[in-house]
Amino acid sequence: MRHPNDGTLRRLLDEPAGVADADRAHVAGCPQCRAGLAAAQRDAAVATEALSGDLTAHVDAGWQRLSTAVATRERPRKAPARRWRIRSPLVAAIGVAALLAGASAAAAGDWLQIFRTERIAPVTAPEADLIKIPELDEFGELTPIEPIQIRQVTDAAAAAKATGLTVPRVTDLPKGVSGEPTYHVGARASALFTYSAERAEQTARAKGHTLPPPPPGLDGSQFRLTAGPGLAAMWGEGRPTPGLVVVRAVTPTAYSTGVPFGTARDYLLSLPILPANVAAQLKNFSAEGTTLPLFMSVEHMKSTATEVGGVPATLLTSRDRTMAAVLWLDGTVVTAVAGPLSGDEVLAVARGMGPR
Amino acid sequence: MLAGRKGGVVVSRPQAVRADLEQVFRSAYPRVVAVAARVLGSRSEAEDVAQEVFLTFGRSAVPAGEALGWLSVAAAHTALNHLRSGRRRAVREVAARDSVTSVPDVADAVVTLDERRRVRAALARLPRKQAVALVLRHSGLSYAEVAAALDLSPGSVGTTVRRAEIALREELNRHASSE
């Protein structure tokens, strides 16, 4: 008979019961396999030795430390669970220039469009680094113009009417998800951001850094950030986490009164307060201001390039396999399908959706 | 939709701490520390990793029945991430020491502190799946548990572990014979 493979020999050392009787009998009578088994045993012994060490743990001390950390980190629960929301994030990173929320082109007047979303790309970093990314208001004044307001509407038709977007129709629900979704809409949101060299300097000083002088014109520059309108369909609303969420929204755009995107971006990326690995990834984005970064922690999420209906898409899956999302852009509209599902399940929903 | 703190559109993760955290902590903490310590070779670093892992777990909705497997995998990944960030330093230390120490044979070498650094450097170089399979197997997880954790068939766990052990031995030998 054929010799059992290396993996079977290896398992024979740990779990002989997991190996087929025929394989066990073969190894017992085959000098070549017995030699392979002996080699596996030697290597396993080296590994056991190499991976040994002080493995004791102090449970009580550990628990005390954890409960303190939990208590310090715990933030009051945000009232009413807003399942999706738009943050003012990246902005901080690409700084000023970047993203979210904003005024329409019509309202822009003499505003110069400096950022429009044409592409979404993941930026991955350890969670500890993501937490270090400064918020936009650490660089200046952020004033909401059209605040983010999300409300429930009666049905898909009402959601379409409120947002002007086509509501995706989900035909095949994944296993475990059933019933009719609830619909939620958010009108366009926008905010005005005024860069303050003084505020930025304070932020930097608090973190033990000194900033290089800002480029001419940046101090006091205004940026208008817009995003939305958007809609969401949620299944399993009554549960702690919805079973499936489909979100569609108009992507973020940013306008400036003067400072070009590249100038603000280069300056912000040169600042010592951004984690180096995050800055390095942002530097690779096009200088035109068309890539929306998606910040992901390497500990929790991984991203894969895929497609939905022939359009490039990004699949995100959590490493603990408890959550997946796929999102894609069509013109200025981003659509996402997410839930406590597998990557294949969210892809199946996305690809089976009509009308896209 | 995103687990990261910052992002364009975010579906928030649950913020409340799960009620069974202390119970799970007390039963699983030694295992989680041991998994991380096998990777890091340092108990204090391993305890830091375990804290990180339990903080994440505390806000997760991982079913209690799957907690131990989930925590073990998370500990292995987090510890390996720590290694990667410290990898350059570790490799440099190994390179520096290689020129001054003499290691007669692999079996003796593994007990030395120096060897610990080599093991860390070797683990950091292994493909992630092999490294996790190796560490979990040597932490006492069954083939079925390792298979479930890594999305492998139980049959291929043996192959993955075997490859990792060969690579580890070769790395250690390479250093030992390059004196």
Side-chain angles (χ1 to χ4, degrees):
Chain A
M1 83 175 259
R2 188 174 57 80
H3 299 291
N5 67 23
D6 267 4
T8 307
L9 293 180
R10 180 63 186 82
R11 191 171 190 186
L12 201 50
L13 295 174
D14 291 326
E15 295 181 355
V19 175
D21 290 345
D23 284 340
R24 281 209 304 268
H26 170 96
V27 172
C30 170
Q32 189 184 331
C33 286
R34 283 211 308 277
L37 187 64
Q41 195 155 23
R42 279 195 301 276
D43 289 347
V46 170
T48 302
E49 188 75 39
L51 299 175
S52 63
D54 183 359
L55 304 178
T56 54
H58 304 298
V59 179
D60 286 330
W63 173 247
Q64 203 167 12
R65 181 175 162 195
L66 186 74
S67 26
T68 312
V70 166
T72 335
R73 279 210 202 174
E74 183 142 29
R75 272 167 255 129
R77 259 199 122 144
K78 297 230 167 64
R82 206 162 59 193
R83 304 288 184 196
W84 63 284
R85 58 192 153 175
I86 295 162
R87 288 258 186 128
S88 58
L90 165 247
V91 194
I94 298 193
V96 179
L99 315 204
L100 306 219
S104 72
D110 58 350
W111 293 79
L112 171 71
Q113 179 176 291
I114 56 163
F115 180 89
R116 65 186 185 282
T117 310
E118 286 184 359
R119 208 176 138 248
I120 294 180
V123 169
T124 55
E127 188 155 87
D129 281 350
L130 294 181
I131 290 168
K132 281 187 222 145
I133 300 178
E135 295 284 359
L136 193 56
D137 57 11
E138 293 176 83
F139 289 99
E141 201 63 49
L142 187 65
T143 316
I145 302 168
E146 298 161 285
I148 297 166
Q149 281 177 331
I150 294 170
R151 64 191 166 89
Q152 188 168 344
V153 292
T154 50
D155 55 20
K161 185 158 178 259
T163 59
L165 296 166
T166 314
V167 180
R169 196 167 54 234
V170 176
T171 43
D172 291 318
L173 290 171
K175 218 171 99 187
V177 177
S178 60
E180 287 300 312
T182 53
Y183 290 93
H184 306 257
V185 296
R188 189 186 60 215
S190 63
L192 183 68
F193 174 73
T194 310
Y195 188 90
S196 156
E198 193 189 338
R199 177 84 61 89
E201 190 57 48
Q202 278 169 6
T203 298
R205 244 198 329 270
K207 296 176 194 218
H209 298 289
T210 315
L211 296 186
L218 182 59
D219 188 23
S221 281
Q222 294 199 315
F223 299 85
R224 198 154 187 167
L225 315 164
T226 100
L231 60 87
M234 284 179 0
W235 281 260
E237 173 76 293
R239 305 191 304 191
T241 334
L244 174 68
V245 183
V246 175
V247 176
R248 175 164 283 178
V250 172
T251 53
T253 311
Y255 303 87
S256 153
T257 43
V259 178
F261 176 81
T263 307
R265 169 185 177 276
D266 290 349
Y267 176 67
L268 288 157
L269 289 178
S270 75
L271 302 184
I273 40 188
L274 274 185
N277 55 357
V278 172
Q281 292 178 71
L282 291 172
K283 273 183 193 139
N284 287 332
F285 289 174
S286 86
E288 289 83 50
T290 54
T291 305
L292 178 65
L294 207 52
F295 291 96
M296 290 177 12
S297 88
V298 291
E299 293 91 340
H300 301 301
M301 305 291 288
K302 67 176 175 190
S303 78
T304 321
T306 179
E307 56 78 30
V308 171
V311 177
T314 307
L315 176 67
L316 307 172
T317 47
S318 66
R319 295 198 185 276
D320 58 14
R321 294 184 293 168
T322 54
M323 193 171 192
V326 59
L327 64 164
W328 66 94
L329 275 177
D330 186 0
T332 60
V333 174
V334 61
T335 306
V337 175
L341 302 164
S342 73
D344 288 344
E345 286 172 316
V346 293
L347 273 178
V349 171
R351 289 174 179 159
M353 256 169 31
R356 285 202 190 81
Chain B
M1 184 168 69
L2 285 197
R5 170 171 169 259
K6 319 260 180 161
V9 183
V10 174
V11 170
S12 47
R13 290 196 296 164
Q15 287 291 312
V17 174
R18 50 192 298 156
D20 61 356
L21 182 60
E22 178 165 6
Q23 191 192 344
V24 174
F25 182 92
R26 291 193 176 276
S27 65
Y29 187 66
R31 160 79 77 84
V32 171
V33 170
V35 168
R38 284 183 204 283
V39 175
L40 296 165
S42 146
R43 199 185 68 200
S44 67
E45 280 181 67
E47 291 198 295
D48 291 345
V49 164
Q51 291 286 326
E52 209 175 298
V53 167
F54 275 102
L55 270 177
T56 309
F57 174 79
R59 295 183 200 288
S60 78
V62 176
E66 294 166 22
L68 191 57
W70 186 95
L71 287 162
S72 304
V73 175
H77 276 297
T78 310
L80 286 163
N81 288 344
H82 279 230
L83 270 195
R84 287 237 156 138
S85 51
R87 178 176 158 184
R88 218 165 269 206
R89 177 174 50 87
V91 170
R92 219 172 29 235
E93 283 171 358
V94 169
R97 265 148 224 275
D98 276 351
S99 56
V100 292
T101 54
S102 150
V103 181
D105 108 326
V106 173
D108 291 345
V110 291
V111 296
T112 68
L113 184 61
D114 215 32
E115 200 49 39
R116 245 352 289 187
R117 295 198 179 89
R118 291 180 179 167
V119 172
R120 292 168 60 125
L123 284 174
R125 271 193 286 267
L126 280 183
R128 176 57 67 102
K129 202 168 241 191
Q130 286 186 22
V132 174
L134 178 73
V135 170
L136 293 183
R137 177 59 211 121
H138 282 272
S139 302
L141 269 73
S142 72
Y143 279 54
E145 286 169 321
V146 176
L150 291 176
D151 220 1
L152 291 169
S153 70
S156 58
V157 171
T159 312
T160 308
V161 170
R162 181 79 184 99
R163 277 191 197 139
E165 287 171 348
I166 291 173
L168 184 62
R169 185 246 301 150
E170 282 173 352
E171 283 283 340
L172 297 174
N173 265 335
R174 196 164 61 78
H175 285 294
S177 59
S178 65
E179 303 303 324

